[in-house]
Amino acid sequence: MSKSHELLKFIGDSAQIFFEQQAGESLISRILDLCIQATGADRGTIFFDSQINLEQHFKYLNSYIATGIRNQTIVINTDQGIAGKVFRTRKSHFSNCVAQDSDFYLGVDSKTGYQTEKALAVPLHWKDGKVIGVIEVLNKADGDFDEADQHALEALSMLAAVAFENYEVHQKNEESESAIEHRKNIWRKSISSVSLHSKAPELQKIYDHIGDFGKSDSNILITGESGVGKEVIARLAHHHSSRRDGPFIAINCAAIPESLFEAELFGVVKGAATGTVARQGQIELAHRGTLFLDEIGEMPVEMQAKLLRVLQERKVQRLGSTDSPKAVDFRLICATNKHIETQIQQEKFREDLFYRINVVNLQIPSLRERKGDIPELAQAILEQLHNKRGWKLKSISPEALERLIDYHWPGNIRELENKIESACLSAGDRAVLMRDDFQFRLRPQLAVVPDSQEDSLKRYENLSLREAREAFESEFVQRAIQGSLGNKSEAARRLGVSREGLRKILIKKPA
């Protein structure tokens, strides 16, 4: 068998060994052993320009691993020695009489006590062509280094670079999976700490059945004002589902520009537009998990049709792709602070999509409808600030708590969180939040009625104050109902009262 055939067989046999190695040091050590074996050298070294990060560039070379020097490390500048020259020029170099080679650096032999007579070094290329190090072997036992040895070492160097890249990808995947699992554990811990108790019957009913909602794969539509915690309910449903170990992908439809909606949701192939790089869409990322579409009422009508098709076929195709659509398996949860039925009448929302997403409907009451929960919510928020920010755990005085309960909370729980955080900053080192630490805007006051509207008050002239108040309240409520196209739940939301409160007002309205 010719020497070239022997080399090919040797490289082929070596390839499997390279890729079976998982630990970085054992992989590199095995590579160096093969380089010494292939060239008949006495010892060798693999230099990297960084011992910590292969993608960084330093002004010196470190021996990541070297034979015959035990735990010693060889460090040379990139302008020193044969290895430094190979690193700079990106070209292989061998010398069978280093004493006459001006590039040879005596400093290494002085440190190790080894006498170098012959040397062969080749560059170690990275995936983008960058040189990340050098493989050097010394003192061939049988004869001199020749071009065949150089070619063998260059071939092994290329194979080594692929093995290093494979190892790096493996490490990054392990780190990525570890980071994802760490975030999942933090998320599970935070969502598990959410109190499933409320003094509001409507919300307690949801909490009581959250496990049932989770076990089902039915689509859920969560409705309620901004800031009531719709995403928390969605995460709870995911947490109690069989998909809890899968991804929870949350998208705020109101935050995506209409021109980017399709690419964001469905993904895009490389070159679909100038400068476009390939990327997965959020639907693909939600595979085997839950897709949460917040503010679904803000989704463009054209995109609604495409989403409906995905829900029907359970397949998705990236923007610009000519491949067959990819099968996806996800559970859909949507949320909105809008009245979807009104949007359907205004042709802003597809009725067929509404029926698809509204299999299970969960209406989350506003904070002013569940003020009995404020003490427990406030305490939970204080504990979150303590755990996440490292702030001293504070309490709230009875007077301050009374002020929180009296406030009308147009921003709901999100506003409560902001007010408590602001109060903590205002209190400084004080352990107790006082009434004056909470600052609220007053409700808008009614303006003085202009003279031009005096005639509109004449119908109240013969009524008592109580009768006039009730008459005005009734007219005001009726106007809100008309503005909501007859939907009383929407009217109640606009008026800032509960559905039951609106019912009581309508019962006592003047004949």
Side-chain angles (χ1 to χ4, degrees):
M1 185 181 293
S2 68
K3 192 169 184 178
S4 61
H5 287 157
E6 288 179 359
L7 175 60
L8 288 173
K9 184 178 184 302
F10 180 80
I11 291 173
D13 293 341
S14 304
Q16 184 174 359
I17 298 173
F18 280 4
F19 294 108
E20 285 176 350
Q21 302 292 330
Q22 293 298 319
E25 189 168 338
S26 63
L27 169 66
I28 296 172
S29 178
R30 187 60 178 145
I31 288 171
L32 183 57
D33 289 343
L34 290 169
C35 290
I36 292 172
Q37 182 182 346
T39 58
D42 178 56
R43 63 172 60 183
T45 305
I46 293 183
F47 292 98
F48 283 133
D49 63 337
S50 167
Q51 232 176 331
I52 301 172
N53 186 339
L54 302 185
E55 295 185 354
Q56 294 181 358
H57 178 71
F58 290 80
K59 297 298 184 184
Y60 55 87
L61 297 175
N62 277 337
S63 61
Y64 188 92
I65 196 157
T67 58
I69 59 172
R70 295 185 180 179
N71 296 324
Q72 284 182 277
T73 299
I74 302 172
V75 181
I76 62 172
N77 293 334
T78 55
D79 59 355
Q80 290 179 325
I82 292 174
K85 178 182 178 180
V86 170
F87 182 80
R88 294 193 314 273
T89 63
R90 305 161 62 94
K91 294 181 179 179
S92 301
H93 180 89
F94 66 84
S95 174
N96 289 306
C97 185
V98 297
Q100 298 178 9
D101 193 325
S102 60
D103 292 312
F104 180 67
Y105 175 57
L106 288 170
V108 175
D109 279 5
S110 299
K111 181 179 179 180
T112 62
Y114 182 77
Q115 185 174 348
T116 302
E117 297 176 355
K118 306 170 187 178
L120 166 61
V122 300
L124 184 58
H125 292 278
W126 195 235
K127 51 192 172 186
D128 57 0
K130 175 184 175 183
V131 174
I132 61 167
V134 174
I135 300 179
E136 185 177 55
V137 291
L138 307 175
N139 293 358
K140 184 172 181 178
D142 183 16
D144 294 337
F145 289 121
D146 55 24
E147 290 187 354
D149 295 320
Q150 177 182 319
H151 293 156
L153 202 58
E154 287 173 343
L156 287 169
S157 175
M158 288 188 289
L159 192 57
V162 176
F164 287 138
E165 182 176 350
N166 181 62
Y167 169 69
E168 186 195 52
V169 169
H170 175 77
Q171 288 294 97
K172 284 185 175 179
N173 286 342
E174 279 194 341
E175 291 170 4
S176 176
E177 288 173 5
S178 176
I180 290 171
E181 190 59 34
H182 178 65
R183 288 196 298 271
K184 280 183 179 179
N185 288 336
I186 293 175
W187 176 79
R188 286 168 184 157
K189 185 176 180 181
S190 65
I191 205 68
S192 297
S193 66
V194 173
S195 173
L196 297 185
H197 300 282
S198 173
K199 294 185 178 180
E202 305 96 319
L203 188 57
Q204 187 57 52
K205 185 177 180 180
I206 292 174
Y207 287 157
D208 289 343
H209 292 88
I210 198 71
D212 298 329
F213 300 144
K215 291 174 186 175
S216 166
D217 239 8
S218 300
N219 297 333
I220 296 176
L221 178 62
I222 306 172
T223 58
E225 297 178 15
S226 294
V228 294
K230 296 188 289 294
E231 184 169 339
V232 172
I233 298 298
R235 288 183 179 274
L236 281 169
H238 172 76
H239 179 68
H240 286 85
S241 75
S242 59
R243 299 174 179 271
R244 61 178 297 171
D245 292 326
F248 180 89
I249 303 297
I251 305 172
N252 185 348
C253 297
I256 304 174
E258 187 169 346
S259 59
L260 301 179
F261 226 111
E262 186 169 3
E264 184 70 21
L265 221 58
F266 300 105
V268 62
V269 298
K270 183 179 180 180
T274 304
T276 302
V277 295
R279 64 186 178 92
Q280 286 181 291
Q282 299 298 313
I283 293 177
E284 278 188 66
L285 293 173
H287 183 58
R288 295 182 179 175
T290 299
L291 178 67
F292 175 58
L293 297 179
D294 197 8
E295 306 298 351
I296 184 70
E298 300 292 343
M299 180 178 286
V301 175
E302 181 182 351
M303 286 304 304
Q304 293 174 27
K306 295 181 178 181
L307 174 62
L308 180 63
R309 184 170 182 178
V310 171
L311 294 177
Q312 291 171 337
E313 300 180 359
R314 291 291 163 174
K315 293 181 180 180
V316 65
Q317 188 170 33
R318 294 187 187 182
L319 183 63
S321 174
T322 57
D323 296 336
S324 299
K326 182 179 180 180
V328 285
D329 172 27
F330 64 93
R331 199 262 185 90
L332 181 65
I333 301 179
C334 300
T336 182
N337 63 356
K338 294 183 177 294
H339 185 240
I340 298 293
E341 286 96 335
T342 301
Q343 287 191 292
I344 292 173
Q345 293 173 5
Q346 297 171 350
E347 298 185 347
K348 294 180 179 179
F349 202 90
R350 293 181 62 102
E351 188 172 14
D352 46 4
L353 178 60
F354 173 67
Y355 292 136
R356 277 278 181 176
I357 66 176
N358 193 36
V359 179
V360 176
N361 184 270
L362 306 180
Q363 296 185 23
I364 313 302
S366 65
L367 186 55
R368 58 185 167 275
E369 296 175 82
R370 47 179 296 209
K371 288 190 174 183
D373 293 340
I374 288 179
E376 186 175 353
L377 288 169
Q379 184 60 39
I381 293 168
L382 287 170
E383 290 175 2
Q384 287 175 6
L385 292 172
H386 169 68
N387 295 330
K388 293 182 179 179
R389 305 280 185 85
W391 292 0
K392 182 178 179 181
L393 185 60
K394 299 181 184 296
S395 60
I396 303 176
S397 70
E399 295 79 14
L401 193 58
E402 183 180 355
R403 186 168 196 179
L404 294 182
I405 294 172
D406 286 344
Y407 184 59
H408 60 288
W409 298 109
N412 291 292
I413 297 174
R414 188 179 296 123
E415 185 181 8
L416 176 63
E417 292 172 339
N418 293 337
K419 293 298 183 186
I420 291 177
E421 181 176 348
S422 177
C424 287
L425 294 172
S426 175
D429 293 333
R430 264 191 291 111
V432 180
L433 301 180
M434 308 304 292
R435 180 182 178 89
D436 290 341
D437 291 324
F438 294 93
Q439 302 299 321
F440 298 104
R441 290 180 301 172
L442 296 175
R443 288 176 182 262
Q445 299 297 314
L446 292 176
V448 176
V449 180
D451 292 340
S452 60
Q453 296 183 14
E454 282 188 8
D455 289 344
S456 65
L457 298 177
K458 288 184 177 179
R459 61 182 180 277
Y460 302 119
E461 284 182 353
N462 297 321
L463 301 177
S464 67
L465 178 60
R466 181 182 60 79
E467 292 171 333
R469 185 186 296 116
E470 291 177 352
F472 175 78
E473 184 180 72
S474 177
E475 292 175 15
F476 194 78
V477 167
Q478 289 299 328
R479 180 172 295 186
I481 293 174
Q482 291 172 7
S484 301
L485 299 178
N487 186 282
K488 293 178 181 178
S489 295
E490 173 68 9
R493 189 190 70 78
R494 293 185 180 187
L495 292 168
V497 299
S498 65
R499 184 73 167 76
E500 178 63 19
L502 178 61
R503 187 185 69 81
K504 291 178 180 179
I505 294 172
L506 293 175
I507 289 174
K508 69 177 184 179
K509 71 178 182 178

